[in-house]
Amino acid sequence: MSTRMLVLIPMKDPAEAKSRLAPALSEAERSQLALLLFKTVVQRIRLAVMSLKQCDSGQGGIDVAVVSNSAEIVALAAELKIGHINEQDNAGLNSAVSEAAKTACDLGYDRLCILPGDLADPSREDIARLLSYPVDGQTVALCPSQDLGTNALVVPLPCPIAFSFGPDSFTRHFSRAADAGMMPVILPLKSLRRDVDTLADLDYLDDGWKMAIGNGERA
């Protein structure tokens, strides 16, 4: 039976993004960084999906969408030709993802992959491994972030667990999956472990990134 997966990227308004980087970057630079990281994540997902199609992996359809209430992100989603799921005003990350999961289920998707839009340097190969992992009704796949958040989560739909993104969310998601009688599988995907939230994370961006923040495009 053919399966359908939605890759969901939650995004806040770029003007409100990356506040912890304020000591090093201006508001305009933080906004630009958030947009550039998001576009890079979308591009890497597309490359991963293309590679899965080329190797005839047996994957069903894989689509990409962003959940956001930002007019700028909605416009960018249209430009990038990806889907958009509207976030209720000030719903918060977990509520936004929960509502998006219900929408995805209503649209006929049977798996949901949640990826942050601020991954530092996600590789096509790691994303392909994530998307091709055989998640079924009894399995949840997770990739922890460097600080034990959740930087990738693949769940069946309808989703059997409550989302709990935030500090130390990896442990909560793992426990909730196990408590629901499912098998939580940890995927050690190195390039998905680092996102850009703190001043220390900026060190993982190369000089091309730093120039692009000022120029408005990825070098």
Side-chain angles (χ1 to χ4, degrees):
M1 183 177 66
S2 178
T3 63
R4 295 180 66 206
M5 172 186 281
L6 182 66
V7 182
L8 183 72
I9 307 171
M11 283 291 294
K12 64 170 60 175
D13 191 295
E16 302 173 0
K18 306 299 164 199
S19 59
R20 283 187 282 176
L21 301 181
L25 300 177
S26 68
E27 181 179 329
E29 288 172 330
R30 298 195 304 273
S31 175
Q32 190 62 46
L33 175 62
L35 291 171
L36 290 170
L37 289 168
F38 171 63
K39 287 190 282 188
T40 298
V41 169
V42 171
Q43 178 195 46
R44 301 287 171 82
I45 293 169
R46 283 187 166 144
L47 291 173
V49 172
M50 287 175 57
S51 71
L52 291 173
K53 289 179 179 178
Q54 290 170 356
C55 70
D56 192 21
S57 66
Q59 288 292 114
I62 301 175
D63 297 320
V64 184
V66 62
V67 56
S68 180
N69 62 6
S70 163
E72 186 170 5
I73 293 298
V74 172
L76 182 55
E79 178 185 324
L80 296 174
K81 295 181 171 55
I82 64 173
H84 166 250
I85 297 175
N86 190 51
E87 175 190 351
Q88 297 300 314
D89 289 343
N90 302 316
L93 176 57
N94 290 305
S95 293
V97 173
S98 295
E99 289 303 312
K102 293 175 185 176
T103 299
C105 190
D106 290 343
L107 291 172
Y109 294 97
D110 49 26
R111 289 179 298 155
L112 181 71
C113 172
I114 301 129
L115 280 175
D118 62 352
L119 293 172
D121 190 22
S123 73
R124 176 194 67 183
E125 294 80 8
D126 279 351
I127 294 177
R129 292 185 190 104
L130 174 71
L131 300 184
S132 62
Y133 190 85
V135 166
D136 56 25
Q138 300 300 315
T139 309
V140 168
L142 312 92
C143 178
S145 67
Q146 197 75 16
D147 57 0
L148 292 183
T150 307
N151 267 9
L153 180 61
V154 184
V155 297
L157 293 175
C159 183
I161 65 171
F163 296 111
S164 186
F165 290 98
D168 302 317
S169 64
F170 171 76
T171 301
R172 293 193 298 277
H173 285 136
F174 187 99
S175 298
R176 289 182 182 189
D179 290 344
M182 307 181 73
M183 178 182 293
V185 178
I186 302 172
L187 300 180
L189 303 173
K190 185 178 179 180
S191 76
L192 304 187
R193 297 197 66 182
R194 176 74 62 178
D195 49 20
V196 182
D197 276 324
T198 68
L199 294 176
D201 296 329
L202 291 176
D203 292 336
Y204 289 85
L205 301 180
D206 60 27
D207 289 339
W209 267 109
K210 293 166 186 175
M211 291 175 61
I213 292 170
N215 295 336
E217 60 182 37
R218 177 70 168 102

